[in-house]
Amino acid sequence: MLNIHPLTGTIGAEVSGVDLTAQLDQTLAGELRAALARHQVLFFEQQFLSIDAQKRLTQAFGPLMQLPYVSPMVGKPEVIRVLKEADEEGGVFGGEWHQDFSFLEHPPAGAVLSALDVPTHGGDTLWINQHAAWENLAPGLQDQLRGRDAMHVGKPYGVKWAPPVAERSGASIQMSRGDPTADVEQRHPAVIRHPVTGCEGMFLNPQYVVRLDGMSETESEPVLANIQRHAMQPEFCCRYRWRAGAVAIWDNLFTQHYAVNDYAGSRREMYRTAFSGPAPRTLAV
Ligand code: SIN
């Protein structure tokens, strides 16, 4: 039987009583989707998913997605191996607050990450509940966002905002960079409504959003920084300590996440898949 224990007062739940390596029946899949809508991130221990099991699990939430710019595993176009070897220096994949590929017209609705090899300490991942952050945002800032679009660009993959070499993730993750089309702005509503819960949340993140519609980058910067500072408050966050065999599933439109880069000298290896869902435009408030 499925047991769901909230991890914090606002976001995340630990789920037990389920074997994710087995075929999920429709009832169980529906329960997991409902739990994800309610808690935004679900965590499962001791699953040790094979790649086929991970793809099957991902499809219980939506069609598998193939992502641009990041090289997938050979022969497995929907699977990214998030690997940092012990001797690799520099940044980590996902080491800034972000929503995956929010600069696409159809960003992933969510993702599944499973842990193969994790450091004895460090390498945690954090998530923000963008609904709780929005509900508690100052009314003046809410007024600035409601009904407005935000402009997203694929900064790490483009030219204009390319990160310094020292901050880039290491050689174990191959990315194509320097694509000027990644710098082209993609507009999305700044506030969206969850299709299941009806709750509103901010679709904004510092990695990909460069400005608010009707404002320059310079004018937007302090407003966006203020909103992000608010969203990062511990009251809206959860932090997950990985163990080998663990699995996380998250809602990519109503959360941000951040991979902590604090495990130099240790190896960390995960499999990552993504599923598609409604475009943010169709969820505009
Ligand atoms: C990511 O998907 O952004 C990486 C998350 C992680 O490795 O913890």
Side-chain angles (χ1 to χ4, degrees):
M1 164 174 149
L2 206 59
N3 297 305
I4 301 173
H5 299 281
L7 189 63
T8 73
T10 44
I11 177 167
E14 291 174 308
V15 183
S16 59
V18 58
D19 175 5
L20 299 178
T21 64
Q23 190 81 43
L24 300 180
D25 66 36
Q26 287 305 316
T27 307
L28 186 53
E31 284 173 353
L32 292 177
R33 284 193 295 271
L36 184 64
R38 169 138 192 241
H39 299 284
Q40 290 94 28
V41 199
L42 303 178
F43 303 105
F44 307 79
E45 300 263 321
Q46 296 286 320
Q47 297 292 332
F48 298 97
L49 293 185
S50 66
I51 288 180
D52 283 346
Q54 176 154 347
K55 284 166 66 174
R56 228 177 21 239
L57 171 64
T58 307
Q59 284 170 307
F61 291 85
L64 273 170
M65 258 184 102
Q66 226 172 296
L67 298 169
Y69 297 114
V70 182
S71 301
M73 293 179 74
V74 176
K76 299 178 173 60
E78 306 99 346
V79 186
I80 292 171
R81 189 179 185 210
V82 179
L83 170 64
K84 186 167 182 245
E85 295 287 2
D87 60 358
E88 275 181 58
E89 292 175 355
V92 292
F93 184 73
E96 187 181 345
W97 284 112
H98 65 287
Q99 291 162 297
D100 297 324
F101 295 85
S102 69
F103 59 93
L104 300 178
E105 186 184 353
H106 294 276
V112 178
L113 191 64
S114 69
L116 279 83
D117 188 13
V118 294
T120 54
H121 53 278
D124 297 356
T125 310
L126 284 80
W127 283 264
I128 291 174
N129 177 335
Q130 295 276 84
H131 160 64
W134 165 250
E135 288 282 297
N136 291 282
L137 191 66
L141 285 170
Q142 285 191 339
D143 290 343
Q144 288 201 54
L145 293 185
R146 196 180 280 283
R148 193 188 280 261
D149 283 346
M151 304 303 185
H152 300 235
V153 297
K155 286 186 204 172
Y157 314 109
V159 178
K160 186 172 171 191
W161 292 273
V165 172
E167 289 171 23
R168 297 180 184 180
S169 46
S172 292
I173 298 188
Q174 297 290 326
M175 290 181 196
S176 55
R177 297 184 180 274
D179 174 2
T181 66
D183 292 338
V184 175
E185 290 182 341
Q186 172 67 55
R187 60 171 65 233
H188 289 303
V191 187
I192 54 177
R193 187 182 303 286
H194 195 283
V196 175
T197 64
C199 293
E200 294 177 359
M202 293 182 283
F203 187 59
L204 292 176
N205 65 84
Q207 179 154 27
Y208 298 126
V209 174
V210 289
R211 66 183 183 90
L212 295 169
D213 191 24
M215 295 169 77
S216 67
E217 286 168 34
T218 311
E219 288 165 339
S220 302
E221 199 277 331
V223 180
L224 293 171
N226 202 1
I227 291 168
Q228 183 64 19
R229 247 191 322 274
H230 162 80
M232 290 186 303
Q233 289 177 84
E235 285 76 6
F236 309 136
C237 297
C238 70
R239 179 171 183 140
Y240 190 60
R241 166 92 276 276
W242 290 97
R243 288 183 185 79
V247 175
I249 305 173
W250 65 89
D251 180 324
N252 187 51
L253 300 188
F254 290 83
T255 66
Q256 294 181 52
H257 60 285
Y258 182 108
V260 181
N261 185 11
D262 64 346
Y263 55 97
S266 295
R267 185 176 191 277
R268 184 176 185 270
E269 182 181 13
M270 331 279 273
Y271 290 150
R272 190 188 200 298
T273 42
F275 53 92
S276 59
R281 172 70 45 206
T282 67
L283 306 174
V285 166

